[in-house]
């Protein structure tokens, strides 16, 4: 699901990152369903900090949605008391389509003739606008600007009888990226689009089934990771247990490769792969592909750290924490006053200058989006006395927008879409700048031969421009211009 939003981040580096839009969690058959959902969403907070919501069921549906972070809004007894029942779903949101308001928050709920239905969505539908126009013509009245509401209207207007058939009928009409959890009067649904762009895992805790965007949400409640929901798989979970359905023609899966670079937590498994290992492997590959003579390898915290460790291991150059993060910058600094605004990046990060002075440093970061962060950090290193600053990036140049549930600036605002690597290097003021190759990134994520051009195993469209799911709304908007 997606929207334009206010910056809720307290991290001045975050304005120059791609943002995952959402995380989802669902649980069936737990006495502590709401509490477990709160914990699961807290573990998924990195996937969206704008708003959070939970819907539970105990014979009736109960919903609570709040702007802000999970720990601030849901960790009190009153919040839990308002969400009774042994099944629940939840959502954390960043958002890129629609506007930033509670109306667009999830889970979204509708009352159908066949019973209530609540849904939470990670991803972005690429034909939501076209479908919405058709639905509105047929009389549907939309309450929000979120693409996820389209799913509810399609279910409402489906000609099929059972809720499972209506749900599958809906999935057959939508395009793009979706990992969904849905709560019904009978149980829980989980679904992942046929390309498997966004992740979704299955867990067990005693007799409870859990669905979550990442395994870190299973760890926090002590649940066991069972497996990933497969691309194109729909699971129904109810009193009879779990049933797996494959209602779509099989496709070559294309999960998002950026989950391994930046979005997912390093302690998660994504599609069975350790994200931490992927990131360290990326560092190894980067050191082999783009070596440099230097005295220190320094990660740009926090997401650059595993790749920097890998780079240091492979190159033999010592690893040092050359940038220290202040973890106590609170929400006070969301809208800094003019007096403190000019401190900018230093509110949150400071150069460990006693270790940098007189050294040739290799800075390792996960990506360059607009380039504003890289410029500040290179400058920070120079001010701290570095004699040379070499930048190494753990992903290829990001020169295309994402349409599958990640907030990316328009293509024109991406630095790599505006200039070549040499010009980027000059722009950020580094002595050298290099990116891992697309083949190196594939090798690091388990494809030892590199990227198979005919049959790539990931979505890598933000690097290659090859979009695996059709961009129906985008193309329609271009035709209208
Ligand atoms: Fe991931 Fe990039 Fe594909 Fe978006 S375009 S799903 S960020 S790889």
């Amino acid at each position: 699901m997606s929207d334009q939003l206010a910056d809720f981040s307290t991290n001045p580096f975050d304005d120059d990152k791609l943002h995952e839009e959402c995380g989802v969690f669902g649980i069936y058959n737990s006495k502590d369903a709401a509490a477990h959902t709160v914990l699961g969403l807290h573990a998924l907070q990195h996937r969206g900090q704008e708003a959070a919501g939970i819907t539970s069921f105990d014979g009736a549906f109960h919903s609570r949605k709040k702007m802000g972070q999970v720990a601030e809004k849901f960790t009190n007894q009153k919040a839990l008391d308002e969400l009774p029942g042994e099944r629940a779903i939840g959502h954390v949101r960043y958002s890129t389509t629609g506007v930033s308001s509670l109306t667009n928050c999830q889970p979204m709920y509708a009352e159908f003739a066949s019973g209530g239905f609540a849904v939470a969505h990670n991803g972005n539908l690429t034909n939501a606008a076209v479908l919405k126009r058709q639905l509105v013509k047929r009389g549907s009245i939309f309450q929000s600007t979120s693409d996820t509401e389209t799913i509810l209207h399609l279910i409402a207007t489906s000609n099929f009888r059972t809720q499972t058939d209506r749900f599958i009928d809906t999935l057959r009409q939508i395009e793009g990226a979706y990992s969904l959890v849905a709560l019904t009067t009978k149980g829980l649904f989980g679904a992942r689009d046929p390309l498997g762009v966004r992740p979704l895992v299955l867990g067990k805790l005693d007799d409870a089934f859990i669905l979550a965007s990442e395994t870190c949400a299973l760890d926090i409640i002590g649940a066991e990771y069972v497996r990933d929901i497969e691309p194109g798989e729909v699971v129904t979970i109810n009193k009879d247990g779990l049933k797996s359905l494959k209602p779509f023609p099989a496709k070559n899966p294309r999960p998002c490769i950026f989950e391994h670079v930046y979005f997912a937590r390093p302690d998660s498994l994504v599609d069975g792969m350790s994200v931490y290992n992927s990131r360290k492997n990326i560092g190894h590959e980067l050191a082999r592909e783009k070596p440099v003579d230097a005295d220190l390898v320094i990660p740009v915290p926090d997401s650059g750290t595993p790749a920097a460790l890998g780079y240091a291991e492979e190159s033999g150059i010592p690893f040092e924490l050359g940038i220290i993060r202040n973890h106590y910058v609170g929400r006070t600094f969301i809208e800094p006053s003019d007096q403190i605004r000019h401190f900018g990046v230093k509110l949150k990060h400071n150069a460990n200058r006693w270790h940098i002075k007189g050294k040739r440093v290799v800075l390792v970061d996960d990506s360059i989006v607009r380039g504003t962060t890289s410029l500040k950090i290179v400058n920070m290193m120079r001010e701290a006395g570095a004699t040379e600053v070499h930048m190494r990036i753990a992903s290829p140049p990001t020169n295309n927008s994402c349409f599958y549930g990640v907030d990316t600036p328009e293509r024109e605002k991406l630095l790599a879409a505006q200039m070549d690597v040499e010009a980027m290097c000059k722009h950020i003021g580094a002595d050298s700048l290099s990116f891992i190759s697309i083949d190196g990134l594939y090798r690091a994520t388990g494809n030892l031969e590199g990227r198979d051009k005919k049959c790539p195993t990931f979505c890598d469209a933000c690097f290659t421009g090859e979009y695996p799911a059709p961009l129906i709304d985008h193309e329609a908007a271009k035709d209208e211009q």
Side-chain angles (χ1 to χ4, degrees):
M1 62 136 273
S2 43
D3 296 350
Q4 281 312 314
L5 51 134
D7 180 12
F8 274 79
S9 169
T10 55
N11 183 345
F13 289 179
D14 276 0
D15 65 348
D16 197 23
K17 295 285 180 207
L18 301 186
H19 289 274
E20 178 64 66
E21 282 171 30
C22 307
V24 296
F25 185 91
I27 187 160
Y28 179 86
N29 201 26
S30 161
K31 281 198 311 306
D32 300 313
H36 283 151
T37 306
V38 169
L39 289 167
L41 293 181
H42 176 65
L44 297 173
Q45 190 77 79
H46 59 290
R47 298 184 76 87
Q49 298 92 46
E50 184 196 20
I54 298 177
T55 300
S56 70
F57 179 81
D58 68 343
F61 288 86
H62 308 272
S63 220
R64 193 179 161 90
K65 299 183 208 178
K66 294 278 172 190
M67 303 301 288
Q69 299 193 5
V70 180
E72 289 167 19
K73 306 289 179 172
F74 284 90
T75 47
N76 57 74
Q77 196 55 48
K78 183 171 173 286
L80 295 179
D81 290 345
E82 288 172 1
L83 294 163
E86 298 192 350
R87 68 187 84 153
I89 60 171
H91 187 264
V92 284
R93 147 195 176 93
Y94 185 84
S95 88
T96 57
T97 61
V99 290
S100 172
S101 74
L102 264 185
T103 327
N104 280 337
C105 289
Q106 301 192 25
M108 289 201 162
Y109 176 77
E111 195 76 37
F112 303 133
S114 52
F117 191 96
V119 65
H121 173 201
N122 175 207
N124 190 52
L125 305 184
T126 55
N127 64 341
V130 167
L131 288 171
K132 183 173 175 178
R133 275 200 290 276
Q134 292 165 1
L135 285 159
V136 168
K137 265 191 200 155
R138 291 185 347 230
S140 297
I141 299 168
F142 278 72
Q143 309 282 332
S144 75
T145 53
S146 164
D147 58 339
T148 310
E149 193 184 346
T150 308
I151 293 171
L152 292 176
H153 287 282
L154 289 172
I155 295 171
T157 52
S158 170
N159 290 325
F160 285 82
R161 195 179 59 80
T162 68
Q163 232 168 30
T164 306
D165 289 343
R166 283 168 168 258
F167 185 53
I168 289 170
D169 180 40
T170 295
L171 300 183
R172 288 203 173 109
Q173 297 174 66
I174 59 179
E175 295 281 359
Y178 54 86
S179 283
L180 301 171
V181 292
L183 189 64
T184 73
T185 52
K186 306 257 166 46
L188 201 60
F189 283 129
R192 201 171 167 201
D193 68 75
L195 295 167
V197 177
R198 305 258 73 89
L200 190 65
V201 297
L202 173 69
K204 271 307 298 276
L205 178 63
D206 302 322
D207 294 329
F209 286 97
I210 297 119
L211 295 165
S213 294
E214 292 181 36
T215 57
C216 62
L218 304 178
D219 295 341
I220 195 169
I221 59 169
E224 166 203 357
Y225 162 67
V226 176
R227 64 176 177 86
D228 285 65
I229 300 300
E230 289 176 30
E233 182 179 9
V234 176
V235 291
T236 63
I237 299 168
N238 54 38
K239 63 178 174 29
D240 300 322
L242 181 143
K243 195 164 148 196
S244 165
L245 307 167
K246 299 276 177 58
F248 310 108
K251 280 192 178 173
N252 170 36
R254 302 286 295 275
C256 169
I257 203 163
F258 227 115
E259 293 283 349
H260 292 273
V261 173
Y262 174 67
F263 300 140
R265 256 175 53 165
D267 51 339
S268 283
L269 294 180
V270 170
D271 286 309
M273 274 183 283
S274 152
V275 173
Y276 183 76
N277 279 352
S278 293
R279 289 186 190 160
K280 271 188 85 178
N281 290 344
I282 290 171
H284 289 151
E285 283 287 341
L286 194 51
R288 282 195 287 270
E289 283 187 355
K290 308 289 160 61
V292 61
D293 272 342
D295 304 309
L296 295 178
V297 174
I298 293 175
V300 176
D302 293 325
S303 50
T305 303
L309 271 170
Y311 196 101
E313 262 178 24
E314 185 67 28
S315 64
I317 302 170
F319 172 95
E320 292 290 357
L321 295 177
I323 302 170
I324 302 301
R325 180 170 171 183
N326 181 340
H327 290 268
Y328 302 98
V329 177
R331 292 172 67 82
T332 342
F333 288 138
I334 289 170
E335 292 175 35
S337 67
D338 284 346
Q339 288 95 320
I340 62 168
R341 197 187 295 276
H342 70 278
F343 289 115
V345 76
K346 289 183 181 168
L347 286 175
K348 187 90 179 190
H349 293 90
N350 190 30
N352 197 352
R353 61 179 57 248
W354 320 114
H355 295 270
I356 291 168
K357 195 164 189 287
K359 299 284 184 359
R360 299 167 301 165
V361 305
V362 189
L363 282 174
V364 180
D365 202 355
D366 54 83
S367 57
I368 292 184
V369 180
R370 293 184 183 84
T372 48
T373 293
S374 309
L375 202 149
K376 286 174 194 161
I377 300 173
V378 170
N379 194 31
M380 184 190 277
M381 291 294 106
R382 296 224 190 270
E383 281 180 6
T387 55
E388 291 175 24
V389 184
H390 302 275
M391 196 91 190
R392 292 293 177 271
I393 305 298
S395 57
T398 306
N399 46 22
N400 297 283
S401 302
C402 176
F403 295 89
Y404 304 138
V406 169
D407 180 37
T408 23
E410 289 139 25
R411 189 162 190 274
E412 309 75 65
K413 295 196 177 132
L414 296 168
L415 196 64
Q418 297 166 30
M419 52 183 82
D420 62 17
V421 175
E422 202 182 318
M424 287 171 83
C425 180
K426 208 163 158 203
H427 176 81
I428 65 171
D431 292 286
S432 75
L433 167 68
S434 295
F435 295 77
I436 193 169
S437 68
I438 190 79
D439 280 326
L441 181 57
Y442 267 73
R443 279 193 294 274
T445 46
N447 294 258
L448 300 182
E449 302 298 319
R451 182 180 192 262
D452 179 339
K453 291 186 180 42
K454 288 207 187 100
C455 191
T457 51
F458 286 104
C459 174
D460 51 27
C462 45
F463 312 126
T464 62
E466 292 175 27
Y467 292 94
L471 307 182
I472 295 166
D473 290 342
H474 181 68
E475 295 301 328
K478 275 204 304 201
D479 288 348
E480 278 166 18
Q481 280 170 7

